[in-house]
Amino acid sequence: MFGPGREYNFTRPNEKGEYEIAEGISATVFRTVLDYYKTGIINCPDGISIPDLRDTCDYLCINFDFNTIRCQDLSALLHELSNDGAHKQFDHYLEELILPIMVGCAKKGERECHIVVLTDEDSVDWDEDHPPPMGEEYSQILYSSKLYRFFKYIENRDVAKTVLKERGLKNIRIGIEGYPTCKEKIKRRPGGRSEVIYNYVQRPFIQMSWEKEEGKSRHVDFQCVRSKSLTNLVAAGEDVLEDQEILMHHPPQVDELDRLNAPLSQMASNDFQD
């Protein structure tokens, strides 16, 4: 931390040649960390926040692991260790599994990617004449039971978001959604129209973009209204009321890409109004 040529040589002496350390670290935590320089082990007493102790160890370049830390609250300690392990594990998944799919989308001119993680045992069998709705055909499928189990924990999903942000990606969404795998039955509607009912399974998904703006159309068609010079306020008020009436009867038409990119709640409300 202090020696020349060290990897983490970020501490500089002041005008008196003194090193100012532990800024923002409480006296209790710093006193606890001092044990490391005597015994090589930090015995964390009750009442010390493990996340605060972790931040202090990172600042002082002390390895935060089970060989270094001893504490009564094993839950908090294992939580920090799990976050470390999840960070390293997702780095591997990102390079080996996710990045090749993103590169394939980029080569097609896409600016974002939506990946659904299925298990190795899952199979997708869609009816070619009646595919499922909601644009699932644009999702990329990744078969990996290991990544599926990784994303079952919300803590791991939070770590994955942090890793993706560190790698410069934007508009990141990670969660669980229903994904259609195979058709369950076919219903016959009046008029001879067929409707296919699909079987949905709950699977993790990742959505991210490598551009600053979301890839959606901003085009909106407004109803044209006449414009003219007005000579008095009475005429102006009449034209305002007339324009409002026209807009009420002819609402703006939203482009289909806007509708697809809108949140689900907004889509539902728009469809209800239509």
Side-chain angles (χ1 to χ4, degrees):
M1 182 176 182
F2 303 100
R6 292 290 300 275
E7 180 181 359
Y8 300 103
N9 186 20
F10 55 83
T11 305
R12 299 289 183 270
N14 59 19
E15 63 276 4
K16 298 180 181 180
E18 300 171 335
Y19 289 90
E20 298 179 7
I21 62 175
E23 181 180 357
I25 300 175
S26 68
T28 305
V29 174
F30 187 71
R31 190 180 303 111
T32 301
V33 172
L34 288 179
D35 291 340
Y36 173 80
Y37 301 101
K38 301 176 183 178
T39 64
I41 295 176
I42 299 175
N43 292 292
C44 181
D46 294 339
I48 296 295
S49 169
I50 296 298
D52 290 344
L53 181 61
R54 170 61 187 271
D55 292 340
T56 303
C57 289
D58 290 343
Y59 175 77
L60 297 174
C61 305
I62 299 175
N63 290 330
F64 187 92
D65 55 33
F66 182 70
N67 296 322
T68 306
I69 308 298
R70 297 288 188 271
C71 69
Q72 187 68 24
D73 190 354
L74 293 181
S75 175
L77 175 61
L78 293 174
H79 173 78
E80 294 295 330
L81 298 180
S82 292
N83 285 344
D84 288 344
H87 195 289
K88 296 176 181 178
Q89 190 65 55
F90 187 73
D91 273 332
H92 170 74
Y93 289 143
L94 178 60
E95 295 291 338
E96 298 296 326
L97 302 176
I98 300 173
L99 185 56
I101 297 178
M102 297 169 60
V103 171
C105 292
K107 288 183 177 181
K108 297 177 183 178
E110 300 289 342
R111 306 289 174 171
E112 58 186 358
C113 186
H114 184 103
I115 301 175
V116 177
V117 181
L118 303 181
T119 66
D120 296 330
E121 295 76 22
D122 287 333
S123 62
V124 178
D125 183 18
W126 292 353
D127 190 300
E128 295 183 358
D129 297 328
H130 302 88
M134 301 296 292
E136 276 86 357
E137 65 272 17
Y138 300 107
S139 300
Q140 307 297 320
I141 299 178
L142 172 58
Y143 291 96
S144 174
S145 295
K146 293 182 178 180
L147 187 57
Y148 163 76
R149 288 192 294 269
F150 179 86
F151 278 136
K152 285 199 309 180
Y153 301 101
I154 187 172
E155 294 84 359
N156 287 351
R157 298 200 292 269
D158 291 338
V159 171
K161 289 180 183 179
T162 301
V163 173
L164 294 174
K165 289 180 181 178
E166 292 173 352
R167 302 296 293 270
L169 297 172
K170 304 170 181 65
N171 302 321
I172 302 167
R173 293 179 59 236
I174 302 178
I176 306 294
E177 67 180 0
Y179 190 79
T181 54
C182 58
K183 59 183 178 181
E184 200 169 71
K185 58 182 177 179
I186 300 178
K187 286 186 177 181
R188 299 294 179 182
R189 296 298 184 184
R193 184 171 61 89
S194 300
E195 179 182 357
V196 178
I197 306 299
Y198 279 87
N199 176 58
Y200 281 74
V201 293
Q202 297 296 314
R203 293 294 181 263
F205 75 92
I206 316 172
Q207 183 173 329
M208 67 214 109
S209 171
W210 41 93
E211 303 294 347
K212 294 182 179 180
E213 298 291 337
E214 294 183 0
K216 63 179 183 179
S217 170
R218 299 180 180 277
H219 174 70
V220 178
D221 290 329
F222 290 98
Q223 174 70 28
C224 295
V225 296
R226 58 189 178 89
S227 175
K228 64 179 181 178
S229 299
L230 302 177
T231 57
N232 58 70
L233 294 178
V234 175
E238 293 176 352
D239 281 348
V240 169
L241 293 175
E242 182 178 349
D243 292 347
Q244 291 177 348
E245 182 179 359
I246 292 175
L247 289 175
M248 290 177 60
H249 288 83
H250 300 278
Q253 299 178 357
V254 181
D255 188 90
E256 285 300 319
L257 288 178
D258 284 325
R259 187 181 296 274
L260 288 175
N261 284 300
L264 184 60
S265 59
Q266 181 178 345
M267 291 174 56
S269 62
N270 291 339
D271 293 341
F272 178 79
Q273 292 174 0
D274 291 343

